[in-house]
Each structure stands twice: as structure tokens, then as C-alpha cells.
Amino acid sequence: MTGTAEISGKTSPREGAGVFYENSESTLFDMQGGKISNNKCTLSGIKGGAVHVAGSYAGSFLMGGTAYIPAGANGKNDVSLAGGKSIKISGTLTPPEDASDGIVATITPSDYAETVQVLSENDEGLISHNALHFALTPAGSGS
């Protein structure tokens, strides 16, 4: 997904109203631009209105460049990560001007243990330079 592409206004009773990414052995969802906005799960307590990342293989959800997933009303447009999944930062993120506090996505992990890693990187240093562009859904909020 690049440029000005947009996925917006989708609803679903389950995770991933905008993008449901259940990876297979060699797939990836590469978001280097565009916007995933105003998507929501319709059932109470379901997370991942924008994107849900699941699967048992090592496929990746990559973010870099001008990729933008605003949280939206009540944080419903979040990125949910199944156990063992992360967002792989593939390049420097450049938040748009309307990004609140420079946040490009709000992450809802399946587990809030201190050892859970929600970001990974292609090149050393990408996490340290880009981690502040991500927010974490408060534990127990149900998204």
C-alpha cells in the first residue's frame, strides 16, 4: 500500500475490519504510504478495527514512509496483534501533519506482558528512531 491509497469506513463483527492479515509462509502486507481510517469492529470488546495480524508463519506486516492508521473515535481503528506478531518497521516513518502527537498507529497486543515485543525492524536503529510514532491501547480497554 503506497501513496494516497485509502481503506476507510469498513465494519466487521470480528477483528480486522479494514485489513485482516492472516499470513502464510511467504506473504507480507507492506504499508509504505496511504491511510487506513474510520474502520471498526461492531461487537463490544473486539479489537483491530483497522488491521488484525494473525497466523502461524513468519509473514510480516511492514510499516514505513508515510503509512498512517489514525486511532479514530474511541480508539476503534487500532492494529491488533495476535500472540507472537509485531509490526515490522521497514523504514523511517514520516507522520502526516494531522497525526496527533506524531502517532501513526495505535497497537493492541494480545498480551500486555513486559516481554511481548510489538515492534520489530528491518535495519538496526529503526525501532529507536520510530517507536514514539506508535501508541499502545491501554490494557483492559477492550479497544
Side-chain angles (χ1 to χ4, degrees):
M1 186 171 179
T2 61
T4 59
E6 187 165 348
I7 299 170
S8 182
K10 307 296 181 200
T11 60
S12 173
R14 61 177 292 173
E15 304 95 338
V19 175
F20 185 89
Y21 175 63
E22 186 167 26
N23 57 18
S24 64
E25 194 166 343
S26 60
T27 64
L28 61 90
F29 181 74
D30 190 359
M31 187 177 181
Q32 297 302 309
K35 184 176 182 179
I36 301 175
S37 63
N38 298 314
N39 302 288
K40 66 179 182 178
C41 301
T42 56
L43 294 178
S44 178
I46 301 295
K47 56 194 175 196
V51 178
H52 178 67
V53 182
S56 57
Y57 293 101
S60 298
F61 172 48
L62 294 99
M63 284 185 76
T66 58
Y68 184 41
I69 306 172
N74 300 318
K76 291 288 186 185
N77 198 63
D78 61 323
V79 177
S80 70
L81 302 172
K85 297 299 173 188
S86 64
I87 295 173
K88 185 177 279 189
I89 301 171
S90 58
T92 300
L93 287 158
T94 307
E97 288 183 19
D98 62 338
S100 177
D101 297 324
I103 302 298
V104 298
T106 299
I107 301 169
T108 305
S110 62
D111 185 348
Y112 285 84
E114 287 184 33
T115 57
V116 172
Q117 182 174 348
V118 296
L119 297 175
S120 58
E121 59 194 345
N122 273 353
D123 296 312
E124 189 173 333
L126 286 175
I127 291 177
S128 62
H129 289 109
N130 292 285
L132 293 176
H133 293 307
F134 293 90
L136 195 62
T137 304
S141 69
S143 180

